[in-house]
Amino acid sequence: MPAALKIVLAEDSVLLREGLVGVLTRFGHEVVAAVGDADALITAVSSYAPDLVVTDVRMPPGLTDEGLRAALELRAANPALPVLVLSQYVQRAYAADLLDTGDGTGVGYLLKDRIGQVEQFAEAVERVAAGGTVVDPEVVRQLLRRRRDPLAALTPREREVLALVAEGKSNGAVARELVVTEAAVGKHIGNILGKLDLPPAEDTHRRVLAVLAYLRA
Amino acid sequence: MIRTVVRELPRAAAYLLSGVLVGAPLLVALLVLGILGLALAPILVGLPLLAVAVLSGIPVGALERRRLALTRTPPPPDPHATPAEPGLAAWARLRLTERATWRELAYTVLLAFALWPLDVIVLFVALVVPGAMIAAPVQLATTSSASGDARIVKLWLIDSYGQALLCTAAGVALLLALLWPLVRYARVRAVLARLLLAPGEAEAERRLGEVTRSRARLVAAFEAERRRIERDLHDGAQQRLVSLSMTLGLARLDAPPHLADRLAAAHREADQVLGELRELIHGIHPQVLVDYGLPDALADAADRSVVPVELDVDLPRFAESVEAAAYFAVREALANIGRHSGARRAWIAGRYTGGRLRVEVRDDGTGGADPARGTGLTGLADRLAVLDGTLSVHSPAGGPTVLSLEIPCPQR
């Protein structure tokens, strides 16, 4: 079991907040603060210095995207703070905004429906806390239906690989999913980065840029 | 002409006769109100009475407009505006400032003091006098036992059946001669009433403005209702389902194998319902439209389109009603493209120039779309019309189909 995480949770529905605390605790994490609105979230983060922030998009007082705004604000102040945003909507605009913060690592955008798959949810939590990038498969799936530049240059296989990368999977995980060797995945990713015109730099950063290109396409 | 007279006579007579029945009591009422009002004015009690007298034209006008239906012409519409706020004071204030009120008062005074007496005279001369003349033999027969003679309409004295029959003949001639003038008089009388009681041009225009505003209010109310339903579903059912799914997920972790399978089935079911509910809520009102505006909402609509869509949208934020109208129009267009057009690609272009938002949805399908057939597009056109916007569909057989909408609006 990975190390216990100190988590600040923001969710306005009491029912879900309690449920989330239950799930996170069940997987050995410690919810140091569970709050119900965006202002309280920002205060809690500054006083608890958590390892991870989990927040809802829609929160009081305006019940629009306060949670997301708070997340963006937190990331702007501290780009290294891992943030997992839970949304009720499949919306790449939200995900793209989030990935634009910091260098796009240590962020996640998941549909709330995903919480029910408790094990996958716990995995996503750990991945984001470890600096990974997670985008909800539903968002990814929706984007797959579109065929547009710059992704037009990618082969179907490369698109498949990019989709899995966008979901936050490591090369190893992608290889297992597609039943190919890890080296093959590496080659595909190299091709994708080349086709998307992302010059060699620090590896994780380019992966995020590729995912971003994918989201914006 | 004879036929016209025969056809119109009963109605003309009924119109005039009922005018008398309205006018005579009205005269009494106006006199009583006026005299009492003036007499009591010094001690202020009279003022409300005078106000009632002034406003008496309103019910009389309403009644008279209805009575015009007797002349086989449609009664004119009510010329009055609907008060913006409830309450008697607001109503009276509005009425006293309306020209229609004063025109109705003029008509009422005219009716009470001149028109109905005139109606009586006309009816008397054209119907009662000839009638009495025609009935001369009958009168002679009923009265002769006493005095041996009869006075017809207090004018002519007759004492023989020869004279009586002559009188009858004259009566018939007079009746026939006066029927046409009677009908003409009733017509003129109706025209005068219509002139004073029907809405003037300014009032008709004002009514149109009122209708437009009330339609805009309806659309706004409809939009608010949509938002409320979306919020209720989001805050209620959706949260509970997520919570249920979470509980099921946790239960599965700790359940013995024979239970885990059944829990897994229940879990799948719950997740399916969640997915359907999510799409339903999105269809009612997409949150991205509120949070990010048209470009992102259109990109989202394009994401969901069955047919691949190319997007070229560069737009600022607009009022919520404008964004919603444009968004739903585009979504309907995309749905139609997916269902009927046979298109392989679609394009959405959106620009804001010269204070007008223009959005165009084009496809490479077979064309032949008829906006008159689909109620969906008609509804959207109505919605745009409320914002003074227009929706046009150009779809020749063989394609391509171009749907364009234009809304004049300031940016937010």
Side-chain angles (χ1 to χ4, degrees):
Chain A
M1 175 150 278
L5 298 167
K6 273 202 310 178
I7 297 173
V8 165
L9 172 68
E11 160 65 60
D12 62 312
S13 152
V14 179
L15 198 66
L16 285 194
R17 195 160 66 218
E18 294 309 311
L20 276 166
V21 171
V23 170
L24 291 169
T25 312
R26 169 69 175 69
F27 284 91
H29 305 301
E30 186 196 354
V31 179
V32 289
V35 299
D37 65 79
D39 290 339
L41 167 63
I42 289 176
T43 318
V45 168
S46 66
S47 49
Y48 289 99
D51 303 319
L52 173 74
V53 170
V54 178
T55 177
D56 187 12
V57 170
R58 180 142 128 174
M59 270 202 290
L63 290 177
T64 56
D65 56 351
E66 278 84 351
L68 180 71
R69 280 172 208 286
L72 299 180
E73 205 177 302
L74 289 171
R75 288 279 292 178
N78 177 10
L81 176 69
V83 173
L84 174 60
V85 169
L86 299 175
S87 170
Q88 209 76 285
Y89 319 100
V90 189
Q91 225 94 85
R92 65 185 154 114
Y94 297 114
D97 267 3
L98 205 60
L99 282 163
D100 269 341
T101 62
D103 61 357
T105 56
V107 290
Y109 176 85
L110 275 187
L111 272 182
K112 266 193 188 170
D113 304 14
R114 230 51 77 184
I115 310 168
Q117 313 293 333
V118 285
E119 283 163 299
Q120 277 147 279
F121 175 66
E123 209 183 300
V125 163
E126 279 148 25
R127 216 185 294 149
V128 171
T133 309
V134 175
V135 177
D136 195 274
E138 192 67 32
V139 178
V140 172
R141 191 153 37 239
Q142 206 172 80
L143 290 170
L144 265 180
R145 292 218 296 263
R146 292 157 45 79
R147 304 268 184 270
R148 283 201 55 216
D149 290 328
L151 300 185
L154 302 186
T155 65
R157 188 53 146 193
E158 284 163 357
R159 230 173 265 136
E160 226 172 328
V161 171
L162 183 55
L164 292 169
V165 170
E167 283 176 28
K169 299 214 160 70
S170 65
N171 286 9
V174 174
R176 275 196 300 285
E177 187 112 344
L178 299 178
V179 202
V180 294
T181 62
E182 218 174 310
V185 172
K187 218 178 92 199
H188 281 310
I189 289 177
N191 288 342
I192 292 167
L193 296 176
K195 284 181 182 174
L196 295 183
D197 201 21
L198 298 169
E202 196 197 326
D203 188 47
T204 54
H205 190 72
R206 288 167 77 213
R207 279 173 78 106
V208 172
L209 286 179
V211 170
L212 263 177
Y214 182 73
L215 286 172
R216 294 214 186 89
Chain B
M1 193 178 93
I2 293 169
R3 224 196 261 159
T4 324
V5 171
V6 170
R7 208 177 51 227
E8 285 193 24
L9 182 67
R11 288 168 173 280
Y15 181 62
L16 294 178
L17 195 65
S18 59
V20 175
L21 295 179
V22 174
L26 185 63
L27 177 65
V28 176
L30 277 186
L31 285 176
V32 169
L33 274 176
I35 292 168
L36 269 182
L38 285 176
L40 297 177
I43 55 166
L44 297 179
V45 183
L47 294 181
L49 291 178
L50 287 178
V52 169
V54 167
L55 293 175
S56 66
I58 294 166
V60 173
L63 178 62
E64 287 295 289
R65 274 191 293 277
R66 280 178 182 223
R67 227 160 51 72
L68 277 172
L70 282 174
T71 62
R72 285 244 274 220
T73 47
D78 187 346
H80 293 290
T82 313
E85 40 191 308
L88 190 64
W91 178 84
R93 230 182 0 260
L94 175 69
R95 288 292 174 264
L96 288 174
T97 55
E98 280 180 317
R99 218 189 293 169
T101 309
W102 299 100
R103 284 208 318 261
E104 282 174 338
L105 181 64
Y107 175 84
T108 304
V109 170
L110 204 61
L111 175 64
F113 290 93
L115 289 177
W116 80 266
L118 207 58
D119 292 352
V120 169
I121 292 169
V122 169
L123 284 172
F124 186 78
V125 170
L127 294 179
V128 177
V129 171
M133 285 167 76
I134 291 167
V138 180
Q139 286 188 55
L140 191 64
T142 51
T143 56
S144 60
S145 53
S147 60
D149 55 16
R151 196 176 276 276
I152 304 304
V153 277
K154 313 274 185 214
L155 288 176
W156 304 290
L157 194 67
I158 41 176
D159 52 11
S160 76
Y161 277 97
Q163 276 177 325
L165 286 176
L166 205 65
C167 192
T168 300
V172 169
L174 189 65
L175 182 66
L176 290 177
L178 288 179
L179 284 183
W180 177 238
L182 174 75
V183 167
R184 285 304 295 264
Y185 170 75
R187 275 194 208 165
V188 171
R189 172 82 171 68
V191 166
L192 175 70
R194 190 173 290 273
L195 209 63
L196 285 170
L197 299 176
E201 216 166 279
E203 279 148 354
E205 247 167 60
R206 197 242 324 126
R207 285 180 70 83
L208 195 64
E210 213 169 85
V211 169
T212 311
R213 274 193 302 279
S214 87
R215 187 166 68 159
R217 276 198 300 274
L218 271 179
V219 168
F222 169 71
E223 202 54 46
E225 191 60 12
R226 261 187 121 103
R227 300 288 300 281
R228 191 189 62 74
I229 293 170
E230 186 250 358
R231 205 158 37 229
D232 283 359
L233 284 175
H234 177 97
D235 293 340
Q238 206 175 15
Q239 311 280 1
R240 282 178 178 278
L241 268 171
V242 171
S243 172
L244 169 68
S245 168
M246 221 173 345
T247 310
L248 285 171
L250 278 178
R252 277 173 70 188
L253 283 184
D254 309 318
H258 68 279
L259 260 182
D261 282 351
R262 280 161 58 199
L263 279 174
H267 200 181
R268 264 197 306 280
E269 199 96 344
D271 278 351
Q272 242 160 33
V273 176
L274 251 179
E276 279 166 26
L277 187 64
R278 193 179 59 230
E279 287 308 305
L280 178 72
I281 292 176
H282 183 86
I284 293 171
H285 194 99
Q287 189 62 28
V288 70
L289 188 58
V290 181
D291 293 346
Y292 287 82
L294 262 181
D296 282 291
L298 292 181
D300 175 68
D303 281 352
R304 290 160 191 270
S305 164
V306 190
V307 177
V309 180
E310 255 180 66
L311 207 60
D312 175 21
V313 176
D314 180 16
L315 294 171
R317 296 297 304 259
F318 304 104
E320 223 167 82
S321 54
V322 172
E323 290 185 338
Y327 169 80
F328 282 108
V330 169
R331 212 178 63 178
E332 179 75 15
L334 289 179
N336 285 344
I337 289 170
R339 272 199 298 267
H340 311 299
S341 73
R344 280 175 306 128
R345 295 192 76 77
W347 293 265
I348 300 175
R351 286 289 178 278
Y352 182 64
T353 46
R356 302 180 85 80
L357 161 67
R358 290 190 178 82
V359 181
E360 190 181 280
V361 185
R362 196 157 50 85
D363 68 47
D364 61 356
T366 52
D370 181 4
R373 251 182 330 157
T375 49
L377 282 179
T378 316
L380 293 171
D382 283 349
R383 221 166 132 162
L384 289 169
V386 167
L387 302 163
D388 268 336
T390 52
L391 178 79
S392 65
V393 180
H394 183 73
S395 183
T401 300
V402 180
L403 175 140
S404 40
L405 67 91
E406 208 174 295
I407 308 174
C409 55
Q411 75 182 76
R412 202 199 287 176

